[in-house]
Amino acid sequence: MTIILDGTQIDLDRVQTALDGSRWLWTCEHTDAGEPLMQRIDRLGATVLPLSVVYRDHGPLTPDSVRTPAALYRQVLEAAS
């Protein structure tokens, strides 16, 4: 699921890292107002906050990079030979 907050597109299906280094993941739940609930998943706890509060208190969010699976590397190398 993708949402736009303050003009920024946020992919809720990926782990997000805030400017302060905290890491957040969407719980697949919403507040009564329909706002996504985010759970902190780093060593500092399992806090659950609305997305706008995470954004305001912890800074802009950036999606964690996704590693390329070995099978894709293999497929590319086989196609090149």
Side-chain angles (χ1 to χ4, degrees):
M1 180 174 156
T2 303
I3 190 168
I4 297 178
L5 180 65
D6 288 343
T8 302
Q9 185 172 329
I10 300 172
D11 182 359
L12 296 176
D13 296 323
R14 293 175 61 185
V15 173
Q16 301 287 324
T17 300
L19 185 62
D20 67 359
S22 59
R23 299 179 71 228
W24 300 86
L25 183 62
W26 180 40
T27 64
C28 297
E29 296 179 7
H30 296 84
T31 65
D32 291 339
E35 187 174 358
L37 285 171
M38 305 295 286
Q39 181 172 1
R40 189 170 185 162
I41 58 169
D42 55 24
R43 62 180 176 82
L44 294 179
T47 306
V48 176
L49 297 171
L51 177 60
S52 63
V53 174
V54 172
Y55 196 83
R56 181 193 70 215
D57 293 351
H58 298 276
L61 301 171
T62 304
D64 283 8
S65 60
V66 177
R67 293 186 171 184
T68 305
L72 182 56
Y73 284 117
R74 187 177 318 109
Q75 187 178 23
V76 169
L77 291 171
E78 288 173 353
S81 358

